[in-house]
C-alpha cells in the first residue's frame, strides 16, 4: 500500500489517531451515559429480540430493516441493549473510514480534507448516536458505502452493488428507493449522456427491486394484496398534513378533526388498505390547502435541521437533573444551529453556482463531490418537506454538513482577505 507522506510524516497516522480517540470517547459515553430506548427505538429493540428468538418479522406496519440487522447480532451475542450500542459504534467507525475514502476523491488539499474529517468525527451527534437504538446509524453507513462505490471508478459491476445497497437501505428507510434518480441527475449534469444516465440509474433501480422482491412477496402474502416495504407511509403523510397540525411534527391521529381513524371503514380494513386510505386523504388535503402545505413543509425542514432535540434521545433514562439537561440541550442546540445554518447557506450558494455553470456550459469548473453532496441534501429535504420533520432525520447527512461548513468558513475567509487586499491597494 502506498504511504501518503508530507515532509517525511505519514499523514494517515493522523487519521488513525482520530479514529482511535473517537472510539475511546464513544465507548466511554456508552458506558457512562446509560441511554434507554423508548418509542420507535424500543420497538426496534423488541422486534429484533423477537426475530432473534424465531418470532414474526413484524406486521408490515413499519420498515424493519434495522431490526432484522440487529437481530443477527442478538442471535450471536444475546439480546442486550449494550450489544446494539456496540454494533452502532462499529457502524460509525466504518462510516468514518468511508467518509475519509470519499474525501480522497475531492480535489482539495490534504490539510482541508483532514479538518473536514475531524469536524465530522467529533461532531457531538456522531458520538452520542452510538447509544441510540435508531435506524439512522445503519442508514448512514449504507448511504456512505453507496456514495463511495459511485465515485470509485476501479470497481467492476459497481452499479450492481449500488443497486443491492439501495435495496437493503430501502428496507431501512423506504424513501431511499429514489436514490436511482439522484444517480440519473448526477450523470446528466456531468454530460455522461442521457443514454448512460438512464442505463446506470435504471440498472440500480432494477437490482434494488430484485433485492427487495423477497420482502415484497412476504408482505404481499401476509396482507393477501400487493404490499411494498411497509405500511406506515400513509399515516406519516396524514398526521403531518392536516388542518390541526400546527408545528409540522408528529401528532395523534385521533386528534385530527373527522379523522379517518374513527371510521368503520378504516377500523375494519387491513393494514395495506388503511395505508391507502390515509395516503389518499392526505393528498386530498394537500391539493385543497397548497399554502398551508408549504408552510407545514418549511416547518418540517426547520424541525429537521434546526431543532437539536435529538440529544434528548441519548439522555432518555439517564439520571440527570432537568437543569443540567436543559444546559446540555442549549449548548448542543447552539452548536448545531450555527453548524447547520452555515452549511445550508454554503449549499444554497453552491447551488446557484451549479446553475450558472450549467447555463454557461462550464461544467468542468464544478467539484463533483460538492455537487453530489448538494444533491443528497435536496433529496432528503424533499422527502422531509412532504412527510415529517424530526431532528434525527438530519443525522444521515452530518457528513455533508461537515464538508459544507468548512467550505463556508473558507469562503468567508476568502471574502475577508479580498476586502483587505482592496483596501491595501
Amino acid at each position: 500500500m502506498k504511504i501518503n507522506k508530507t515532509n517525511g510524516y505519514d499523514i494517515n497516522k493522523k487519521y488513525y489517531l482520530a479514529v482511535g480517540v473517537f472510539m475511546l470517547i464513544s465507548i466511554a459515553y456508552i458506558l457512562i451515559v446509560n441511554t434507554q430506548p423508548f418509542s420507535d427505538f424500543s420497538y426496534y429493540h423488541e422486534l429484533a429480540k423477537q426475530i432473534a428468538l424465531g418470532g414474526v418479522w413484524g406486521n408490515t406496519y413499519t420498515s424493519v430493516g434495522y431490526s432484522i440487522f440487529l437481530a443477527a447480532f442478538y442471535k450471536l451475542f444475546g439480546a442486550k441493549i449494550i450489544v446494539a450500542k456496540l454494533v452502532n459504534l462499529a457502524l460509525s467507525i466504518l462510516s468514518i473510514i468511508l467518509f475519509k475514502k470519499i474525501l480522497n476523491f475531492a480535489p482539495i488539499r490534504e490539510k482541508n480534507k483532514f479538518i473536514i474529517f475531524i469536524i465530522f468525527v467529533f461532531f457531538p451527534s456522531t458520538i452520542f448516536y452510538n447509544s441510540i437504538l435508531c435506524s439512522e446509524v445503519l442508514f448512514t453507513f449504507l448511504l456512505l458505502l453507496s456514495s463511495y462505490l459511485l465515485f470509485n471508478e476501479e470497481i467492476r459491476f459497481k452499479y450492481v452493488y449500488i443497486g443491492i445497497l439501495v435495496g437493503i437501505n430501502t428496507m431501512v428507510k423506504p424513501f431511499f428507493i429514489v436514490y436511482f434518480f439522484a444517480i440519473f441527475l448526477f450523470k446528466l449534469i456531468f454530460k455522461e449522456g442521457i443514454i448512460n444516465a438512464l442505463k446506470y440509474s435504471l440498472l440500480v433501480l432494477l437490482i434494488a427491486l430484485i433485492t427487495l422482491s423477497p420482502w415484497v412477496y412476504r408482505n404481499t402474502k401476509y396482507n393477501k394484496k400487493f404490499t411494498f416495504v411497509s405500511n406506515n407511509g400513509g399515516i406519516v403523510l396524514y398526521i403531518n398534513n392536516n388542518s390541526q397540525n400546527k408545528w409540522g411534527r408528529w401528532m395523534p391521529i385521533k386528534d385530527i378533526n373527522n379523522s379517518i381513524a374513527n371510521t368503520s371503514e378504516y377500523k375494519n380494513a387491513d393494514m395495506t388498505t388503511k395505508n391507502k386510505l390515509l395516503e389518499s386523504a392526505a393528498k386530498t388535503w394537500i391539493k385543497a390547502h397548497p399554502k398551508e402545505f408549504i408552510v407545514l413543509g418549511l416547518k418540517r425542514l426547520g424541525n429537521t435541521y434546526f431543532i437539536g432535540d435529538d440529544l434528548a434521545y441519548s439522555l432518555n433514562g439517564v439520571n440527570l437533573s432537568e437543569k443540567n439537561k436543559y444546559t446540555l440541550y442549549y449548548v448542543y442546540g447552539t452548536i448545531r444551529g450555527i453548524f447547520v445554518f452555515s452549511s445550508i447557506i454554503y449549499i444554497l450558494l453552491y447551488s446557484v453556482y451549479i446553475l450558472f455553470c450549467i447555463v454557461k456550459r462550464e461544467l468542468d469548473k464544478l467539484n463533483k463531490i460538492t455537487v453530489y453532496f448538494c444533491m443528497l441534501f435536496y433529496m432528503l429535504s424533499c422527502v422531509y418537506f412532504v412527510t415529517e420533520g424530526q431532528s434525527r432525520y438530519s443525522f444521515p447527512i452530518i457528513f455533508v454538513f461537515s464538508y459544507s461548513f468548512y467550505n463556508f468558513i473558507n469562503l468567508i475567509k476568502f471574502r475577508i482577505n479580498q476586502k483587505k487586499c482592496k483596501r491595501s491597494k
Side-chain angles (χ1 to χ4, degrees):
M1 184 177 72
K2 185 179 179 180
I3 297 177
N4 188 6
K5 292 188 176 182
T6 301
N7 296 327
Y9 179 72
D10 182 2
I11 292 175
N12 286 326
K13 287 182 180 178
K14 296 189 296 183
Y15 289 100
Y16 299 147
L17 178 61
V19 173
V21 172
F22 166 80
M23 185 169 64
L24 291 175
I25 293 174
S26 297
I27 291 173
Y29 189 91
I30 289 170
L31 295 177
I32 296 170
V33 182
N34 187 25
T35 305
Q36 295 300 306
F38 71 105
S39 187
D40 289 354
F41 313 137
S42 182
Y43 174 79
Y44 295 146
H45 172 62
E46 293 301 326
L47 181 59
K49 286 169 58 178
Q50 179 178 298
I51 295 170
L53 294 172
V56 179
W57 291 30
N59 59 4
T60 78
Y61 172 69
T62 190
S63 52
V64 296
Y66 176 61
S67 294
I68 293 172
F69 174 77
L70 207 55
F73 294 92
Y74 281 0
K75 185 79 173 178
L76 291 172
F77 305 109
K80 299 176 182 177
I81 293 174
I82 188 64
V83 172
K85 293 179 179 180
L86 292 176
V87 169
N88 278 350
L89 176 56
L91 288 173
S92 292
I93 292 171
L94 291 173
S95 294
I96 287 168
I97 293 170
L98 283 169
F99 183 57
K100 193 266 183 187
K101 289 181 176 294
I102 291 170
L103 286 177
N104 287 338
F105 297 111
I108 56 179
R109 295 170 58 192
E110 187 63 39
K111 176 186 174 183
N112 295 343
K113 291 178 185 178
F114 182 68
I115 295 172
I116 293 167
F117 176 80
I118 290 297
I119 293 172
F120 174 57
V121 171
F122 294 108
F123 189 74
S125 61
T126 308
I127 295 170
F128 71 70
Y129 264 71
N130 291 315
S131 68
I132 307 172
L133 273 63
C134 61
S135 59
E136 275 69 26
V137 179
L138 175 59
F139 179 83
T140 303
F141 164 71
L142 293 172
L143 173 59
L144 281 163
L145 184 53
S146 300
S147 303
Y148 170 70
L149 290 176
L150 181 64
F151 283 97
N152 194 324
E153 298 298 334
E154 296 180 359
I155 298 177
R156 295 182 64 192
F157 311 116
K158 68 176 183 178
Y159 292 100
V160 173
Y161 301 141
I162 291 173
I164 293 170
L165 290 173
V166 170
I168 294 171
N169 221 5
T170 300
M171 285 284 293
V172 180
K173 289 186 180 292
F175 70 77
F176 196 68
I177 194 71
V178 302
Y179 185 74
F180 83 96
F181 187 64
I183 293 176
F184 173 77
L185 290 179
F186 183 74
K187 290 191 168 295
L188 210 57
I189 288 173
F190 289 101
K191 290 188 174 181
E192 293 191 28
I194 191 167
I195 300 300
N196 274 339
L198 280 171
K199 180 174 69 174
Y200 291 120
S201 59
L202 291 179
L203 175 61
V204 167
L205 177 61
L206 176 63
I207 298 298
L209 292 175
I210 291 172
T211 303
L212 286 167
S213 59
W215 186 250
V216 174
Y217 172 78
R218 179 264 182 190
N219 284 353
T220 300
K221 187 176 180 181
Y222 187 95
N223 285 309
K224 295 180 175 59
K225 60 180 62 175
F226 180 79
T227 306
F228 195 50
V229 175
S230 62
N231 272 318
N232 66 332
I235 190 169
V236 169
L237 204 61
Y238 184 64
I239 64 176
N240 283 283
N241 292 285
N242 61 78
S243 297
Q244 283 67 57
N245 195 315
K246 304 301 180 185
W247 302 105
R249 298 178 73 91
W250 183 90
M251 67 175 292
I253 190 171
K254 292 184 179 180
D255 288 354
I256 301 171
N257 285 351
N258 302 314
S259 174
I260 286 183
N262 296 325
T263 65
S264 58
E265 181 184 13
Y266 180 86
K267 292 177 180 177
N268 295 325
D270 58 80
M271 284 193 174
T272 302
T273 303
K274 286 180 179 179
N275 186 47
K276 291 179 180 178
L277 288 170
L278 293 166
E279 185 178 318
S280 176
K283 289 178 178 177
T284 300
W285 183 90
I286 291 171
K287 290 177 183 177
H289 303 83
K291 291 182 180 178
E292 291 90 338
F293 167 69
I294 291 172
V295 170
L296 280 174
L298 293 173
K299 288 180 178 179
R300 283 190 280 267
L301 292 183
N303 291 328
T304 300
Y305 295 124
F306 299 110
I307 305 298
D309 57 357
D310 50 346
L311 179 60
Y313 306 145
S314 181
L315 298 180
N316 184 63
V318 178
N319 186 21
L320 268 180
S321 68
E322 290 303 315
K323 181 180 179 180
N324 288 336
K325 284 185 179 181
Y326 178 80
T327 301
L328 288 172
Y329 296 154
Y330 179 79
V331 172
Y332 169 67
T334 302
I335 294 171
R336 177 191 167 101
I338 295 170
F339 173 74
V340 172
F341 179 77
S342 303
S343 303
I344 291 177
I345 292 297
Y346 178 79
I347 289 171
L348 295 176
L349 290 173
Y350 200 85
S351 299
V352 174
Y353 181 64
I354 292 171
L355 293 175
F356 173 82
C357 290
I358 291 173
V359 171
K360 293 290 184 178
R361 296 183 179 180
E362 297 176 346
L363 299 179
D364 56 311
K365 292 183 177 180
L366 291 173
N367 180 330
K368 286 190 175 184
I369 293 289
T370 310
V371 172
Y372 175 74
F373 282 176
C374 287
M375 290 177 65
L376 287 183
F377 169 75
Y378 289 120
M379 182 182 80
L380 295 182
S381 295
C382 287
V383 172
Y384 304 146
F385 182 88
V386 175
T387 56
E388 185 171 344
Q390 287 190 35
S391 55
R392 70 184 175 104
Y393 293 162
S394 65
F395 178 79
I397 54 170
I398 291 298
F399 69 90
V400 171
F401 289 153
S402 300
Y403 179 88
S404 303
F405 176 75
Y406 182 72
N407 283 319
F408 177 78
I409 298 301
N410 267 352
L411 183 62
I412 296 298
K413 287 167 64 178
F414 177 74
R415 294 301 183 191
I416 291 172
N417 290 335
Q418 270 190 328
K419 289 182 179 180
K420 285 181 180 179
C421 289
K422 286 180 181 180
R423 288 173 186 172
S424 63
K425 288 181 180 180

